[in-house]
Amino acid sequence: MDRAPSQTISGAMIDALAGRQVTAALFTTYEFDPSFFEQEIVPTLIDVALSHAPRVRLAQLEEALRSMTHRLAVFYDRRGLLAGETGSRRLDLDCQCIGGSGGLFHPKVSMVLVDNPSDADGKPCAPSLVVMVGSCNLTRAGWWRNLEVAHLEELRLDSPSELSAPLLRLLSTIERRRIGNGTCESLEAIRSFLRKVPSRSRRSAGGRVLTQLYMSGQESVPDFLARATGNALRGMHLEVLSSSFDEGGLQPLVALQERFDLESTRLHLPMLAPGTASISESTMHATDTLPNTVWSTLPRAVLAGSRAEGTHARFMHAKVYRFFSIHPKREIMFVGSVNLTTAAHHGRQNTECGILIEVETPRRPQPWLEPTKGKIALHEATNDGVGLPVSPLMLAHDWSTACCHAYWDAATAMPAVALTRGGLDVGALEPMPARQWLTLSGELSSAIAEHLRVGSMFTAALEGGDQGVLLVQESGMELKPSLMMNLSPLEILKLWTMLTPEERAEFLQLHGRDFSAWGLEEDATQAADDVDVPTLFDRFAGMFTAFDALERRIHAALDAGKDREAIALLFGSKHDSLGHVLAKLDQRGAIGVQSPQELERSPSVKPMVDPVLAYLMLLCSQSVLDGVKSRHPEFVERHVNRVDGLQQQIMSHAARHELMTDAACRNEPLDGFLEWFERVFLTRAAPGERA
């Protein structure tokens, strides 16, 4: 290739997925901006037109993620956590950090498991795994601003691959180094898939080097390149793009030059501005003693910044080792997370990942880099990926048990810590031993849960004054209160009847209210009147249609093995959960016929549902629960406590009492009638026989 190919990272991922249904996804990164990831990267996995309104967009993403078979996972180096420009994480993501006791956790790998469409005969096809290996962190800079590199491959069960074994080693490394509790659904699903992919260990075919993956831990980078290519690299030219170098030397480059007897070497000089390089003087002059080695730069057009981002030149963060020869024409590239540093090349210090590809060469390859000219001013180099101060404290909250656990990732015991979020006091942690998970008190767990409703980025301050940020790991998030909780019961029923994501998004944008607590901007579009006007549809046909639609969605989720979605719809605290509807009916003013005296005392409290509708909604809720019990007994057995809790919520609800009290006031007792009506209402009709 005469010049580097160019495409946005997001565009490449969308093209590779091609609108297929994502069932599991796992991302690894050094730097991690949680808010940018959920707002801009997660949408690349979802084939849905998303609203530009932040509150509606998040509600759409929340719904799409819970319908994913396995919970999306992110593994990041604890030292690389960033507090993003758009606030804190809010979605149901399995974000787990890698401890800081070893070298950097530096791989930038995305693995997305997708379902393929049926074949021409209607037979289901086996799933595929889309793998992206590159240099881009899960940050705004990594996906939007920097000059990065990435390569995508697709693994199939009917095609042998050299990539499955090193990817399995990466998953094992993650499990060994992660600090999070419990199993990771996406990791297990992807590991199960990789174990079924036919493995192949050939390094070449037809005179070409086969695509191979480097995973640190077993060998150094030079050893891997020699094993993977044989003698193919000997005597070639080399161009290196790296964003980081050793202080005072280029030993990894020397090892490559000696190992492969390279003809010439060009090193990309990281520039802060025209004429100013971001390396030390000793590193700059380390090339003086190396044969045929010069500092070079990419053409200015390649580094040109974006007007939208307001940048004059992009930061070159890619890691590329481009080997090429002109006679014969041949080009082999090694790209990924591996900087030109000893820690990255050693094989047993940092956790790194790179991919080796031989590219097509229709024409004789030419250099990408141009030797620098003129005097270069030097500026001391900065480390790759330095973010805000990060606390060694880790918190994990389980919404299903209402318990929070703490872990101190340091060599010595933790002193007393004051916990805050957004400048608000959360609570204090007593001193605790290092590297042990401990359960926090119920009072502190409740305080943390209350703040998690708004954001998951906390600050921990030590007695000595040092402080750092931390991202709370959350599980059981199908039971976490939704991002949009202000819908009335009748509005939720209407939402259930809407079949497409686009219809639901339009409805949420019209009826969602008061999102200021989430730090999101309000939209100009608001409901003209927040008071529901009951119609015939609202009162009867629409209500029965809504509960039928809800039950169908629950059955479809359980039939597809999507337990998280069914849990959210039945027991959750989401804006469209059955449990949330029942809780709404329990709120003061939700049901009942108000007397003039009551209206005079509380004129602002308007009933959302009259007693008859509330009572019928309870019976419909019972019918939905009975249907789940009948059709999915295994699910009920797994979640017996939650089923019993929902049953108790229905049985003890005030709606029936309100209806009977109202009838008694009219001297029209309903006791006998309601017993008969409930028995008939909850008896499911058997399908009729055809004549």
Side-chain angles (χ1 to χ4, degrees):
M1 291 184 289
D2 292 341
R3 57 177 298 176
S6 177
Q7 187 180 10
T8 64
I9 301 294
S10 298
M13 178 62 78
I14 291 172
D15 289 347
L17 297 179
R20 291 174 290 182
Q21 178 68 42
V22 174
T23 60
L26 184 151
F27 294 79
T28 68
T29 184
Y30 175 70
E31 283 190 337
F32 181 44
D33 178 347
S35 59
F36 176 81
F37 178 79
E38 71 177 16
Q39 285 274 11
E40 305 298 342
I41 298 179
V42 170
T44 65
L45 310 180
I46 299 169
D47 189 26
V48 173
L50 295 174
S51 170
H52 293 292
R55 59 180 183 172
V56 180
R57 184 184 184 89
L58 283 172
Q60 286 181 281
L61 291 171
E62 183 181 65
E63 181 180 332
L65 285 174
R66 78 183 184 202
S67 66
M68 195 177 292
T69 306
H70 304 286
R71 196 177 178 208
L72 189 153
V74 178
F75 294 91
Y76 64 97
D77 192 301
R78 178 179 61 76
R79 295 158 290 192
L81 178 64
L82 298 181
E85 302 172 9
T86 54
S88 185
R89 175 180 68 97
R90 299 178 179 89
L91 296 177
D92 184 4
L93 306 173
D94 189 5
C95 301
Q96 300 192 31
C97 68
I98 302 298
S101 58
L104 297 183
F105 181 76
H106 205 246
K108 285 82 172 178
V109 179
S110 306
M111 290 180 270
V112 184
L113 193 61
V114 296
D115 281 337
N116 287 307
S118 302
D119 62 17
D121 298 326
K123 296 179 180 178
C125 294
S128 298
L129 183 68
V130 176
V131 180
M132 183 173 76
V133 180
S135 62
C136 44
N137 286 301
L138 300 179
T139 63
R140 183 177 299 272
W143 277 59
W144 281 8
R145 293 175 178 166
N146 294 344
L147 183 65
E148 304 279 0
V149 65
H151 179 76
L152 288 97
E153 290 280 337
E154 183 165 332
L155 278 65
R156 304 180 67 94
L157 295 180
D158 58 359
S159 178
S161 174
E162 293 80 14
L163 308 186
S164 57
L167 286 173
L168 284 169
R169 290 202 303 273
L170 173 59
L171 298 183
S172 297
T173 299
I174 290 171
E175 281 204 311
R176 186 178 70 253
R177 295 197 60 183
R178 73 181 178 122
I179 303 177
N181 286 323
T183 60
C184 174
E185 295 177 15
S186 282
L187 186 149
E188 294 300 333
I190 292 171
R191 174 155 50 197
S192 176
F193 175 88
L194 287 172
R195 285 173 173 168
K196 299 174 186 175
V197 175
S199 181
R200 183 172 61 184
S201 57
R202 296 171 59 188
R203 68 185 186 190
S204 63
R208 291 175 56 84
V209 173
L210 296 175
T211 300
Q212 297 175 64
L213 191 70
Y214 170 73
M215 178 63 211
S216 62
Q218 293 187 343
E219 58 188 342
S220 67
V221 170
D223 287 345
F224 164 77
L225 293 174
R227 177 180 58 80
T229 64
N231 293 321
L233 303 183
R234 294 192 64 83
M236 280 190 166
H237 302 277
L238 171 63
E239 292 183 314
V240 179
L241 279 68
S242 174
S243 61
S244 195
F245 300 90
D246 285 336
E247 177 61 31
L250 295 169
Q251 280 306 119
L253 178 61
V254 173
L256 291 174
Q257 289 177 332
E258 293 178 350
R259 188 71 171 264
F260 302 111
D261 191 23
L262 299 175
E263 179 70 19
S264 69
T265 303
R266 294 186 181 187
L267 289 176
H268 184 270
L269 185 62
M271 306 296 288
L272 286 176
T276 303
S278 61
I279 61 172
S280 66
E281 184 174 359
S282 57
T283 303
M284 182 74 176
H285 291 293
T287 59
D288 295 347
T289 58
L290 300 181
N292 298 324
T293 302
V294 295
W295 289 105
S296 308
T297 60
L298 285 165
R300 185 171 298 181
V302 176
L303 293 171
S306 165
R307 289 184 180 180
E309 293 287 347
T311 54
H312 297 291
R314 291 184 291 174
F315 176 65
M316 206 296 300
H317 189 257
K319 297 92 169 68
V320 179
Y321 298 79
R322 181 181 181 240
F323 299 87
F324 67 94
S325 62
I326 300 174
H327 302 286
K329 56 181 183 180
R330 195 170 189 185
E331 185 172 352
I332 300 172
M333 287 197 291
F334 178 62
V335 304
S337 69
V338 182
N339 278 308
L340 193 64
T341 63
T342 300
H345 278 241
H346 184 275
R348 289 180 173 81
Q349 294 185 19
N350 290 353
T351 300
E352 305 278 2
C353 192
I355 193 163
L356 183 75
I357 321 108
E358 180 160 1
V359 300
E360 295 288 343
T361 52
R363 294 185 294 182
R364 301 196 184 280
Q366 298 298 320
W368 288 355
L369 302 178
E370 303 168 349
T372 56
K373 298 177 182 178
K375 187 175 181 179
I376 301 293
L378 302 179
H379 187 278
E380 200 65 29
T382 57
N383 292 330
D384 181 32
V386 175
L388 297 176
V390 178
S391 174
L393 177 65
M394 300 173 58
L395 297 176
H397 184 79
D398 187 344
W399 288 95
S400 66
T401 62
C403 288
C404 191
H405 307 271
Y407 184 96
W408 183 251
D409 185 30
T412 58
M414 183 190 82
V417 167
L419 202 62
T420 61
R421 188 205 55 78
L424 302 175
D425 290 335
V426 178
L429 280 75
E430 298 295 326
M432 58 182 283
R435 294 181 176 140
Q436 294 183 32
W437 281 105
L438 296 179
T439 303
L440 302 181
S441 67
E443 181 180 357
L444 184 54
S445 294
S446 297
I448 291 171
E450 190 64 29
H451 281 268
L452 283 172
R453 293 169 179 258
V454 180
S456 55
M457 194 77 76
F458 286 54
T459 300
L462 306 183
E463 285 181 324
D466 292 339
Q467 62 180 19
V469 297
L470 64 128
L471 180 69
V472 180
Q473 178 188 338
E474 299 175 74
S475 58
M477 285 187 69
E478 59 273 12
L479 302 176
K480 180 180 180 178
S482 177
L483 304 172
M484 186 170 286
M485 299 295 289
N486 294 315
L487 299 178
S488 72
L490 291 181
E491 286 173 339
I492 297 172
L493 264 61
K494 288 181 182 178
L495 186 63
W496 286 346
T497 66
M498 294 177 181
L499 301 179
T500 68
E502 289 77 15
E503 287 179 318
R504 292 193 287 272
E506 183 178 356
F507 182 85
L508 291 174
Q509 185 155 331
L510 180 64
H511 292 274
R513 298 180 288 274
D514 188 16
F515 236 62
S516 57
W518 296 97
L520 299 176
E521 295 181 0
E522 280 291 334
D523 308 306
T525 305
Q526 290 291 329
D529 189 350
D530 286 342
V531 180
D532 286 293
V533 179
T535 65
L536 182 63
F537 179 88
D538 292 325
R539 296 185 67 84
F540 299 108
M543 179 178 60
F544 299 142
T545 301
F547 277 94
D548 179 67
L550 172 66
E551 185 172 349
R552 288 174 185 272
R553 288 181 65 188
I554 293 170
H555 289 320
L558 291 174
D559 289 341
K562 300 177 181 179
D563 278 24
R564 287 190 304 115
E565 183 176 9
I567 291 171
L569 290 171
L570 267 176
F571 317 119
S573 299
K574 303 304 180 183
H575 61 274
D576 58 350
S577 298
L578 177 58
H580 178 54
V581 171
L582 296 175
K584 279 280 188 180
L585 290 177
D586 262 338
Q587 292 179 358
R588 181 170 178 264
I591 59 176
V593 178
Q594 293 175 303
S595 67
Q597 293 78 12
E598 290 173 319
L599 285 173
E600 185 177 351
R601 288 195 302 268
S602 305
S604 63
V605 178
K606 300 181 177 67
M608 288 188 280
V609 183
D610 67 39
V612 173
L613 281 181
Y615 173 65
L616 291 176
M617 289 169 69
L618 281 184
L619 292 185
C620 289
S621 300
Q622 183 65 61
S623 179
V624 169
L625 185 58
D626 289 346
V628 173
K629 289 179 179 179
S630 173
R631 185 165 165 179
H632 302 282
E634 301 86 358
F635 173 80
V636 173
E637 185 176 353
R638 289 197 301 271
H639 302 281
V640 62
N641 291 334
R642 292 173 179 171
V643 172
D644 290 345
L646 185 61
Q647 183 68 74
Q648 182 62 27
Q649 191 177 6
I650 295 172
M651 297 296 294
S652 62
H653 205 282
R656 192 175 192 273
H657 174 73
E658 291 277 348
L659 187 64
M660 293 179 66
T661 300
D662 182 57
C665 292
R666 301 170 189 267
N667 294 318
E668 298 173 355
L670 295 175
D671 301 49
F673 171 76
L674 291 185
E675 291 178 5
W676 169 83
F677 182 77
E678 290 171 7
R679 184 173 64 256
V680 174
F681 188 97
L682 295 174
T683 300
R684 299 210 166 204
E689 295 183 2
R690 292 185 178 181

